């Protein structure tokens, strides 16, 4: 979809559709008021008849409204004016875009971006209108033999800003929103692909393809022998039972004008998690194709930054493999040596994400990073703790955790701080190795983060557990692309920041 920014009166737009808001209860927004005046009170007459109350997300499509130059006027309910916040704004945009996509308009001029949203400026409204519009029309149909056809899909949205002086801000925000949406779409596509297509090898190829599309990106895809040579015994222990060879993907985008140290993103890339010898129960095991969504979010965030040519240095690291049972698979009780030299007793082969991340975190040391963020569908316990709303953030630096959560708030891709206190480490004690890969059931997402922290002592680090937010179940089953918006927002706040 294409987006442009404009400033002008709704009744003067030559367009297939002009989209204006109505507040609950029957209160016209300023732009609806302008249409009403031009039409000699036609809109308020319709509202008086009770066809549009202004309930959030409701819509009413009018044709040939006299006094206007557009073919149609779409009224969109905004809910109560004093409650019009982030969620309500996004929900109104979603309703409008869905309707436009299903009806005859190829193109529309959008006035919802002129409505005041509490604590948000025009740039935020434009960026989020773009993000929500793109999210609303996303489809994953590359695996269907007969993709469903949208007869007259929405191709172009013109977003209106209140003043001519807002045009520059609006254009920048639209470009930013579109780049974040493209990154999110990439993460969703990779997440939605099945495990028999999206293998470690396939992810390596997609990384090389990204580098071909964006020459600013340098990509290296390490194969088993090279991973072995690095001493990644923890990572390799997870791949033993699988016939698909692992890959370790390194993506470098070093574009800080001040040659600042890079931010390193590490994504869990388990392309399918059966649990290994500690095998998972059959119901819903197909969800474990989403166990590479952390890796997908690294791909997506890279894409966003590349598209924007952001003046910041970022390295993406993706350890990727399958977790399968077999005669060669790692067994409970096996002890392995990580790249850091620390030994690990693997008590549960289903706690594999932390094993592949451990060696990637050690690999990250070579960049003397500004900070390292790992993103992983790490624990079922995270879903129990924060549900499907917020991701959990664990960090050895409180300011870093706060900055990530603030970025999540701004991006409407929320994350919430979790503790990492020493007291939680005790459960990982082992009589045979330096420590075990699991503790008890209690506080499972925190002890998992404690395990990771043992490999992240040399830099500022945060771990984002996205098990609850990376994908949805039910009618909307599929990858969400989260937390690409959070990560991109956080990184863009560091543009050209000094070391
Ligand atoms: N990939 C899973 C975590 C997961 C569960 C992600 C549900 C998304 C939805 C992870 O590898 C896993 O199996 N974790 C175990 C850890 C346990 C064995 C300590 C879990 O959470 O049960
Ligand atoms: Mn597992
Ligand atoms: Zn897993």
């Amino acid at each position: 979809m294409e987006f442009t920014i404009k400033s002008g009166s709704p009744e003067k737009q030559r367009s297939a559709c002009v989209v204006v808001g109505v507040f609950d209860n029957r209160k016209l927004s300023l732009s609806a008021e302008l249409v009403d005046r031009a039409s000699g009170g036609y809109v308020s007459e319709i509202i008086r008849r009770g066809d549009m109350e202004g309930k959030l997300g409701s819509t009413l499509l009018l044709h040939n409204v006299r006094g206007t130059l557009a073919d149609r006027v779409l009224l969109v309910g905004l809910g109560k004016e004093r409650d019009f916040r982030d969620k309500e704004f996004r929900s109104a945009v979603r309703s409008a875009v869905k309707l436009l996509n299903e009806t005859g308009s190829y193109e529309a001029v959008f006035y919802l971006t002129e409505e005041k949203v509490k604590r948000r400026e025009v740039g935020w409204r434009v960026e989020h209108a773009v993000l929500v519009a793109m999210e609303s029309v996303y489809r994953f149909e590359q695996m269907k033999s007969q993709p469903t056809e949208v007869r007259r899909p929405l191709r172009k949205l013109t977003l209106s800003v209140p003043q001519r002086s807002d045009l520059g801000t609006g254009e920048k925000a639209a470009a930013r929103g579109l780049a974040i949406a493209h990154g999110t779409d990439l993460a969703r596509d990779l997440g939605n692909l099945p495990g028999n297509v999206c293998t470690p090898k396939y992810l390596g190829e997609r990384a090389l393809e990204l580098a071909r599309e964006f020459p600013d990106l340098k990509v290296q895809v390490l194969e088993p022998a090279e991973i072995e040579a690095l001493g990644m015994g923890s990572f390799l222990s997870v791949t033993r039972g699988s016939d698909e060879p692992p890959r370790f993907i390194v993506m470098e985008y070093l574009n800080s004008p001040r040659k600042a140290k890079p931010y390193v993103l590490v994504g869990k890339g388990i392309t399918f998690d059966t649990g290994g010898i500690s095998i998972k129960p059959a119901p819903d095991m197909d969800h474990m194709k989403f166990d590479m969504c952390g890796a997908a979010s690294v791909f997506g965030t890279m894409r966003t930054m590349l598209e924007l040519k952001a003046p910041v240095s970022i390295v993406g690291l993706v350890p990727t493999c399958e977790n399968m049972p077999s005669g060669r698979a790692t067994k409970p009780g096996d002890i392995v040596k990580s790249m850091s030299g620390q030994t690990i007793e693997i008590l549960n082969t289903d706690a594999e994400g932390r094993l592949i991340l451990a060696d990637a975190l050690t690999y990250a040391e070579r960049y003397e990073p500004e900070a390292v963020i790992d993103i992983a569908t790490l624990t079922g316990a995270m879903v129990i703790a924060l549900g499907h709303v917020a991701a959990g953030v664990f960090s050895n630096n409180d300011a870093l955790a706060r900055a990530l959560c603030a970025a999540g708030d701004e991006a409407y891709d929320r994350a919430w701080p979790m503790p990492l206190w020493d007291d939680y480490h005790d459960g990982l004690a082992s009589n045979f190795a330096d420590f075990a890969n699991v503790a008890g059931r209690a506080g499972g997402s925190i002890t998992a983060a404690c395990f990771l922290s043992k490999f992240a002592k040399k830099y500022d680090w945060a771990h984002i557990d996205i098990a609850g937010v990376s994908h949805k179940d039910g009618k909307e089953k599929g990858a969400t692309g989260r937390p690409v918006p959070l990560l991109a927002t956080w990184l863009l706040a560091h543009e050209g920041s000094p070391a």
Side-chain angles (χ1 to χ4, degrees):
M1 208 189 314
E2 196 192 313
F3 297 89
T4 52
I5 307 297
K6 195 168 186 176
S7 177
S9 252
E11 73 281 8
K12 298 196 185 116
Q13 304 304 318
R14 270 182 211 289
S15 166
C17 189
V18 161
V19 182
V20 296
V22 178
F23 288 106
D24 192 1
N25 190 337
R26 305 182 184 186
K27 179 171 184 280
L28 299 184
S29 65
L30 181 62
S31 43
E33 186 84 53
L34 291 171
V35 173
D36 187 46
R37 256 182 251 159
S39 68
Y42 177 61
V43 174
S44 47
E45 186 188 320
I46 282 177
I47 283 182
R48 231 176 295 117
R49 285 186 197 155
D51 289 350
M52 165 49 84
E53 308 270 353
K55 293 257 178 306
L56 182 62
S58 59
T59 49
L60 184 66
L61 189 61
L62 310 174
H63 294 263
N64 307 323
V65 176
R66 64 189 125 87
T68 70
L69 299 178
D71 300 337
R72 309 171 184 78
V73 171
L74 176 62
L75 303 180
V76 181
L78 305 179
K80 293 262 186 276
E81 190 169 11
R82 71 181 133 76
D83 296 334
F84 197 62
R85 297 170 199 273
D86 297 7
K87 184 166 184 279
E88 289 73 19
F89 174 80
R90 290 174 51 102
S91 150
V93 171
R94 192 173 297 117
S95 305
V97 169
K98 287 210 159 142
L99 186 123
L100 289 169
N101 201 39
E102 283 156 16
T103 49
S105 314
Y106 281 116
E107 151 282 324
V109 188
F110 225 67
Y111 280 84
L112 304 184
T113 36
E114 292 205 6
E115 301 307 327
K116 285 206 168 56
V117 178
K118 292 227 168 70
R119 286 174 51 236
R120 303 300 189 191
E121 301 302 320
V122 63
W124 186 95
R125 301 192 308 253
V126 168
E127 183 178 328
H128 281 258
V130 172
L131 284 168
V132 173
M134 291 290 287
E135 180 195 294
S136 306
V137 302
Y138 174 85
R139 277 190 168 74
F140 180 79
E141 304 210 308
Q142 45 184 293
M143 304 303 293
K144 301 220 186 210
S145 60
Q146 228 91 60
T148 50
E149 214 185 305
V150 178
R151 275 208 296 128
R152 286 165 159 270
L154 183 60
R155 295 253 168 79
K156 186 177 161 201
L157 263 190
T158 301
L159 305 175
S160 180
V161 292
Q163 286 161 8
R164 298 197 56 81
S165 59
D166 295 325
L167 288 172
T169 310
E171 271 151 23
K172 227 182 140 214
R176 209 177 118 118
L178 193 59
I180 296 175
H182 288 153
T184 306
D185 283 358
L186 172 59
R188 292 179 84 172
D189 282 348
L190 292 175
N192 286 331
L193 283 169
N196 63 330
V197 174
C198 186
T199 58
K201 180 166 168 250
Y202 177 85
L203 283 178
E205 284 160 5
R206 291 297 298 260
L208 292 166
E209 186 188 312
L210 197 60
R212 274 195 299 277
E213 188 177 350
F214 297 98
D216 292 339
L217 184 71
K218 297 278 167 293
V219 168
Q220 238 187 309
V221 181
L222 307 188
E223 308 214 348
E226 297 159 280
I227 301 170
E228 188 91 50
L230 283 164
M232 293 188 165
S234 183
F235 174 24
L236 287 171
S237 74
V238 178
T239 79
R240 296 263 178 258
S242 167
D243 289 339
E244 291 287 346
R247 293 286 187 267
F248 189 85
I249 305 168
V250 182
M251 297 183 259
E252 297 177 346
Y253 169 63
L254 306 175
N255 197 34
S256 161
R258 292 162 217 174
K259 303 256 177 280
K261 302 273 167 60
Y263 295 94
V264 178
L265 305 178
V266 180
K268 172 177 172 183
I270 296 288
T271 57
F272 196 82
D273 182 11
T274 65
I277 297 298
S278 313
I279 200 161
K280 288 180 181 296
D284 292 339
M285 203 204 269
D286 66 291
H287 294 190
M288 287 301 119
K289 74 169 183 176
F290 296 119
D291 214 18
M292 35 56 70
C293 283
S297 76
V298 174
F299 275 77
T301 305
M302 279 290 178
R303 203 206 140 88
T304 298
M305 294 297 147
L306 289 161
E307 199 174 306
L308 291 173
K309 287 186 172 290
V312 56
S313 289
I314 309 162
V315 173
L317 300 178
V318 172
T320 172
C321 68
E322 284 182 340
N323 186 21
M324 299 287 282
S326 94
R328 271 172 286 106
T330 296
K331 305 169 290 298
D334 285 2
I335 295 177
V336 299
K337 189 172 190 169
S338 67
M339 185 180 174
S340 72
Q342 300 175 102
T343 59
I344 305 160
E345 184 185 13
I346 300 174
L347 289 178
N348 189 324
T349 64
D350 198 11
E352 84 298 340
R354 61 197 78 181
L355 294 173
I356 72 169
L357 293 172
D359 286 337
L361 289 171
T362 302
Y363 187 92
E365 286 173 7
R366 68 181 58 199
Y367 294 100
E368 295 175 24
E370 191 62 33
V372 178
I373 314 296
D374 78 70
I375 308 101
T377 46
L378 205 64
T379 63
M382 197 69 246
V383 191
I384 304 301
L386 296 180
H388 301 289
V389 175
V393 174
F394 306 77
S395 180
N396 59 13
N397 179 316
D398 286 344
L400 176 59
R402 267 196 304 277
L404 287 167
C405 293
D409 182 59
E410 171 157 346
Y412 206 80
D413 179 9
R414 283 171 302 183
W416 198 252
M418 297 283 291
L420 253 188
W421 295 307
D422 284 347
D423 314 56
Y424 285 102
H425 281 256
D426 304 344
L428 295 168
S430 162
N431 285 352
F432 306 108
D434 294 348
F435 41 82
N437 76 327
V438 288
R441 262 166 56 82
S445 50
I446 309 173
T447 52
C450 283
F451 178 93
L452 294 176
S453 74
K454 297 176 188 295
F455 301 88
K457 291 189 185 141
K458 302 214 172 125
Y459 42 69
D460 289 339
W461 158 79
H463 154 60
I464 309 182
D465 192 335
I466 57 167
V469 303
S470 64
H471 60 280
K472 292 185 187 176
D473 196 8
K475 236 183 90 188
E476 288 182 82
K477 186 170 179 175
T480 60
R482 291 177 68 183
V484 170
L486 179 158
L487 292 168
T489 302
W490 177 71
L491 286 166
L492 288 169
H494 292 271
E495 281 195 28
S497 69

